[in-house]
Amino acid sequence: IAGITQAPTSQILAAGRRMTLRCTQDMRHNAMYWYRQDLGLGLRLIHYSNTAGTTGKGEVPDGYSVSRANTDDFPLTLASAVPSQTSVYFCASSDSAGMWDTQYFGPGTRLTVL
Amino acid sequence: RKEVEQDPGPFNVPEGATVAFNCTYSNSASQSFFWYRQDCRKEPKLLMSVYSSGNEDGRFTAQLNRASQYISLLIRDSKLSDSATYLCVVNLWRGSTLGRLYFGRGTQLTVWP
Protein backbone atom coordinates (compact mmCIF):
# COMPACT_ATOMS: atom_id res chain seq x y z
CA ILE A 1 0.00 0.00 0.00
CA ALA A 2 1.61 3.26 -1.10
CA GLY A 3 -0.57 5.67 0.89
CA ILE A 4 0.03 9.07 -0.66
CA THR A 5 2.43 9.70 -3.50
CA GLN A 6 3.58 13.07 -4.76
CA ALA A 7 5.41 14.00 -7.93
CA PRO A 8 7.86 15.38 -8.66
CA THR A 9 10.10 14.92 -5.62
CA SER A 10 11.80 18.20 -6.38
CA GLN A 11 11.74 20.79 -9.13
CA ILE A 12 13.56 23.95 -10.11
CA LEU A 13 11.31 26.24 -12.09
CA ALA A 14 11.77 29.55 -13.87
CA ALA A 15 9.51 32.37 -12.73
CA GLY A 16 6.45 32.77 -14.92
CA ARG A 17 6.24 29.09 -15.81
CA ARG A 18 3.20 26.96 -15.17
CA MET A 19 3.63 23.94 -12.91
CA THR A 20 1.37 21.17 -11.67
CA LEU A 21 2.24 19.19 -8.57
CA ARG A 22 0.64 15.77 -8.53
CA CYS A 23 -0.86 13.97 -5.56
CA THR A 24 -2.46 10.52 -5.53
CA GLN A 25 -3.79 8.50 -2.60
CA ASP A 26 -4.89 4.87 -2.55
CA MET A 27 -6.69 4.89 0.79
CA ARG A 28 -10.06 5.96 -0.65
CA HIS A 29 -10.04 8.97 1.65
CA ASN A 30 -12.71 11.57 1.05
CA ALA A 31 -10.77 14.65 2.15
CA MET A 32 -7.53 15.92 0.66
CA TYR A 33 -5.36 18.95 1.38
CA TRP A 34 -2.41 20.90 0.08
CA TYR A 35 0.00 22.62 2.49
CA ARG A 36 3.16 24.59 2.06
CA GLN A 37 5.90 24.57 4.66
CA ASP A 38 8.33 27.44 4.96
CA LEU A 39 11.12 27.85 7.46
CA GLY A 40 9.88 29.66 10.55
CA LEU A 41 6.26 29.65 9.41
CA GLY A 42 5.15 26.07 9.80
CA LEU A 43 2.58 24.34 7.63
CA ARG A 44 -0.08 26.50 6.01
CA LEU A 45 -3.14 25.24 4.19
CA ILE A 46 -3.40 26.26 0.53
CA HIS A 47 -6.52 24.46 -0.69
CA TYR A 48 -8.62 21.54 0.44
CA SER A 49 -11.28 19.19 -0.84
CA ASN A 50 -13.79 17.51 1.44
CA THR A 51 -14.97 15.13 -1.27
CA ALA A 52 -14.56 14.52 -4.98
CA GLY A 53 -16.01 17.36 -7.02
CA THR A 54 -15.64 20.03 -4.32
CA THR A 55 -12.74 22.28 -3.36
CA GLY A 56 -12.19 25.16 -0.97
CA LYS A 57 -9.64 27.84 -0.18
CA GLY A 58 -7.31 27.60 2.76
CA GLU A 59 -5.14 30.18 4.45
CA VAL A 60 -2.84 31.02 1.50
CA PRO A 61 -4.68 30.22 -1.78
CA ASP A 62 -3.49 33.09 -3.99
CA GLY A 63 -1.51 31.96 -7.02
CA TYR A 64 -2.67 28.34 -6.71
CA SER A 65 -5.57 26.33 -8.09
CA VAL A 66 -6.76 22.77 -7.50
CA SER A 67 -9.21 20.30 -8.95
CA ARG A 68 -10.72 17.10 -7.60
CA ALA A 69 -12.11 15.11 -10.51
CA ASN A 70 -12.01 11.82 -8.62
CA THR A 71 -11.35 10.47 -5.12
CA ASP A 72 -7.72 9.56 -5.63
CA ASP A 73 -6.13 12.59 -7.32
CA PHE A 74 -5.74 16.17 -6.14
CA PRO A 75 -3.34 18.17 -8.36
CA LEU A 76 -2.09 21.63 -7.39
CA THR A 77 -1.35 24.09 -10.18
CA LEU A 78 0.79 27.21 -10.09
CA ALA A 79 -0.42 29.20 -13.10
CA SER A 80 2.56 31.55 -13.23
CA ALA A 81 5.21 30.72 -10.64
CA VAL A 82 6.86 33.45 -8.57
CA PRO A 83 9.95 33.20 -6.31
CA SER A 84 7.79 33.53 -3.16
CA GLN A 85 6.27 30.17 -4.04
CA THR A 86 9.59 28.49 -3.32
CA SER A 87 8.65 26.05 -0.60
CA VAL A 88 8.09 22.43 0.36
CA TYR A 89 4.61 21.32 -0.64
CA PHE A 90 2.83 18.52 1.20
CA CYS A 91 -0.32 16.80 0.10
CA ALA A 92 -2.42 15.11 2.79
CA SER A 93 -5.60 13.10 3.06
CA SER A 94 -8.02 12.01 5.74
CA ASP A 95 -10.98 9.66 5.80
CA SER A 96 -13.26 12.64 6.26
CA ALA A 97 -12.89 16.23 7.50
CA GLY A 98 -14.07 15.21 10.96
CA MET A 99 -12.86 16.59 14.23
CA TRP A 100 -10.55 13.72 15.16
CA ASP A 101 -9.59 12.40 11.74
CA THR A 102 -5.90 11.78 11.24
CA GLN A 103 -4.31 13.48 8.28
CA TYR A 104 -1.78 11.38 6.39
CA PHE A 105 0.90 13.25 4.50
CA GLY A 106 2.76 12.52 1.32
CA PRO A 107 6.57 12.77 1.14
CA GLY A 108 6.50 16.33 -0.18
CA THR A 109 7.67 18.21 -3.27
CA ARG A 110 10.54 20.66 -2.92
CA LEU A 111 9.94 23.51 -5.35
CA THR A 112 12.42 26.26 -6.14
CA VAL A 113 11.28 29.17 -8.30
CA LEU A 114 14.08 31.28 -9.71
CA ARG B 1 -1.73 36.50 15.86
CA LYS B 2 -1.07 32.88 14.96
CA GLU B 3 -3.63 30.30 15.91
CA VAL B 4 -0.99 28.09 17.51
CA GLU B 5 2.20 29.21 19.25
CA GLN B 6 5.10 26.97 20.22
CA ASP B 7 8.55 27.48 21.66
CA PRO B 8 10.77 26.58 18.67
CA GLY B 9 13.61 25.38 20.89
CA PRO B 10 15.94 23.75 20.13
CA PHE B 11 15.84 21.42 23.07
CA ASN B 12 19.02 19.39 23.47
CA VAL B 13 18.75 16.63 26.08
CA PRO B 14 20.74 13.50 26.98
CA GLU B 15 19.34 10.03 26.53
CA GLY B 16 17.09 9.08 29.42
CA ALA B 17 16.04 12.65 30.19
CA THR B 18 12.49 13.85 30.57
CA VAL B 19 11.52 16.77 28.36
CA ALA B 20 8.32 18.78 28.08
CA PHE B 21 6.98 20.91 25.25
CA ASN B 22 4.25 23.48 25.56
CA CYS B 23 1.91 25.07 23.10
CA THR B 24 -0.84 27.68 23.33
CA TYR B 25 -3.76 28.24 20.99
CA SER B 26 -5.62 31.49 20.48
CA ASN B 27 -9.16 30.43 19.63
CA SER B 28 -11.29 29.02 22.43
CA ALA B 29 -13.53 27.41 19.78
CA SER B 30 -10.76 24.96 18.89
CA GLN B 31 -12.20 21.52 19.30
CA SER B 32 -9.55 18.86 18.81
CA PHE B 33 -5.86 18.75 19.42
CA PHE B 34 -2.88 16.74 18.25
CA TRP B 35 0.86 16.35 18.35
CA TYR B 36 2.54 15.48 15.07
CA ARG B 37 6.16 14.49 14.65
CA GLN B 38 8.31 15.53 11.71
CA ASP B 39 11.73 14.09 11.03
CA CYS B 40 14.24 16.17 9.09
CA ARG B 41 13.13 16.66 5.47
CA LYS B 42 10.26 14.19 5.91
CA GLU B 43 6.49 14.45 6.10
CA PRO B 44 4.65 15.06 9.39
CA LYS B 45 3.12 12.02 11.06
CA LEU B 46 0.55 11.83 13.82
CA LEU B 47 2.17 11.14 17.20
CA MET B 48 -0.94 11.31 19.34
CA SER B 49 -4.26 13.01 19.78
CA VAL B 50 -4.78 15.08 22.92
CA TYR B 51 -7.99 14.47 24.83
CA SER B 52 -9.54 16.62 27.55
CA SER B 53 -8.75 14.06 30.24
CA GLY B 54 -5.14 13.77 29.15
CA ASN B 55 -3.72 10.65 27.60
CA GLU B 56 -0.62 8.54 27.61
CA ASP B 57 1.04 6.38 24.98
CA GLY B 58 4.09 4.59 26.35
CA ARG B 59 6.70 7.21 27.17
CA PHE B 60 4.56 10.05 25.82
CA THR B 61 1.95 11.95 27.83
CA ALA B 62 -0.24 14.69 26.43
CA GLN B 63 -2.27 17.15 28.48
CA LEU B 64 -4.88 19.73 27.56
CA ASN B 65 -5.93 22.73 29.63
CA ARG B 66 -8.93 24.33 27.93
CA ALA B 67 -9.23 27.13 30.48
CA SER B 68 -5.68 28.30 29.76
CA GLN B 69 -5.78 27.20 26.08
CA TYR B 70 -2.61 25.26 26.61
CA ILE B 71 -1.39 21.86 25.37
CA SER B 72 1.65 19.97 26.57
CA LEU B 73 3.68 16.93 25.56
CA LEU B 74 5.92 15.10 28.02
CA ILE B 75 8.51 12.61 26.82
CA ARG B 76 10.03 10.36 29.47
CA ASP B 77 13.24 8.32 29.13
CA SER B 78 14.23 10.06 25.90
CA LYS B 79 15.72 7.93 23.13
CA LEU B 80 18.02 8.97 20.31
CA SER B 81 15.17 8.11 17.95
CA ASP B 82 13.00 10.79 19.57
CA SER B 83 15.10 13.47 17.85
CA ALA B 84 12.67 15.29 15.58
CA THR B 85 10.48 18.37 15.35
CA TYR B 86 7.22 18.17 17.28
CA LEU B 87 4.25 20.04 15.84
CA CYS B 88 1.34 21.21 17.96
CA VAL B 89 -1.89 21.10 15.94
CA VAL B 90 -5.43 22.27 16.61
CA ASN B 91 -8.61 21.62 14.65
CA LEU B 92 -10.81 24.69 14.48
CA TRP B 93 -14.34 24.75 13.18
CA ARG B 94 -15.51 28.17 12.05
CA GLY B 95 -19.27 28.36 11.72
CA SER B 96 -20.43 26.17 8.87
CA THR B 97 -16.91 25.58 7.57
CA LEU B 98 -15.67 22.10 8.21
CA GLY B 99 -12.77 21.68 10.57
CA ARG B 100 -9.30 22.69 9.47
CA LEU B 101 -5.96 21.92 11.06
CA TYR B 102 -3.72 24.76 12.20
CA PHE B 103 -0.10 23.88 12.81
CA GLY B 104 2.39 25.45 15.16
CA ARG B 105 5.87 26.15 13.84
CA GLY B 106 7.25 23.16 15.70
CA THR B 107 9.67 22.51 18.55
CA GLN B 108 12.98 20.92 17.63
CA LEU B 109 14.32 18.17 19.90
CA THR B 110 17.77 16.63 19.76
CA VAL B 111 18.58 13.72 22.06
CA TRP B 112 22.30 13.08 22.46
CA PRO B 113 24.08 9.92 23.65
Side-chain angles (χ1 to χ4, degrees):
Chain A
I1 296 175
I4 299 181
T5 57
Q6 292 185 236
T9 301
S10 64
Q11 182 75 43
I12 298 174
L13 189 66
R17 298 296 295 268
R18 180 183 180 89
M19 176 75 190
T20 295
L21 307 185
R22 298 185 299 279
C23 174
T24 299
Q25 53 103 359
D26 64 3
M27 297 177 282
R28 307 302 294 172
H29 283 171
N30 287 304
M32 296 187 74
Y33 314 84
W34 274 105
Y35 294 90
R36 60 178 289 174
Q37 186 173 34
D38 302 291
L39 195 63
L41 292 178
L43 281 148
R44 292 180 293 169
L45 183 66
I46 305 171
H47 284 287
Y48 66 94
S49 169
N50 291 325
T51 188
T54 68
T55 63
K57 294 181 179 180
E59 185 182 355
V60 287
D62 294 343
Y64 305 95
S65 63
V66 292
S67 61
R68 186 87 184 277
N70 57 61
T71 297
D72 299 343
D73 300 300
F74 191 43
L76 176 74
T77 297
L78 289 66
S80 178
V82 295
S84 62
Q85 293 178 310
T86 294
S87 188
V88 180
Y89 291 86
F90 288 104
C91 179
S93 72
S94 60
D95 187 34
S96 70
M99 201 183 311
W100 291 103
D101 280 353
T102 301
Q103 288 192 14
Y104 297 88
F105 287 79
T109 293
R110 299 183 178 278
L111 182 66
T112 302
V113 182
L114 301 176
Chain B
R1 181 182 176 186
K2 282 188 68 67
E3 296 284 352
V4 182
E5 297 279 4
Q6 285 184 259
D7 179 350
F11 286 68
N12 297 303
V13 302
E15 269 188 296
T18 295
V19 61
F21 306 139
N22 302 317
C23 156
T24 58
Y25 59 95
S26 61
N27 196 315
S28 60
S30 300
Q31 296 181 308
S32 50
F33 310 89
F34 310 88
W35 285 99
Y36 276 68
R37 170 192 169 129
Q38 186 172 25
D39 294 301
C40 185
R41 300 176 73 86
K42 300 283 190 181
E43 71 272 23
K45 293 182 180 179
L46 179 68
L47 178 67
M48 59 197 302
S49 303
V50 186
Y51 302 116
S52 295
S53 55
N55 47 297
E56 188 173 306
D57 182 3
R59 299 181 292 107
F60 299 84
T61 301
Q63 296 281 347
L64 170 64
N65 184 322
R66 282 189 180 271
S68 302
Q69 295 180 201
Y70 168 96
I71 307 161
S72 66
L73 177 68
L74 182 76
I75 305 175
R76 292 182 299 277
D77 190 21
S78 299
K79 311 292 185 190
L80 296 176
S81 58
D82 293 334
S83 297
T85 297
Y86 291 83
L87 308 176
C88 179
V89 185
V90 305
N91 191 339
L92 176 62
W93 290 52
R94 296 182 185 276
S96 61
T97 305
L98 293 181
R100 219 87 60 71
L101 295 187
Y102 291 86
F103 288 77
R105 286 181 255 188
T107 299
Q108 185 180 341
L109 171 67
T110 300
V111 181
W112 46 272

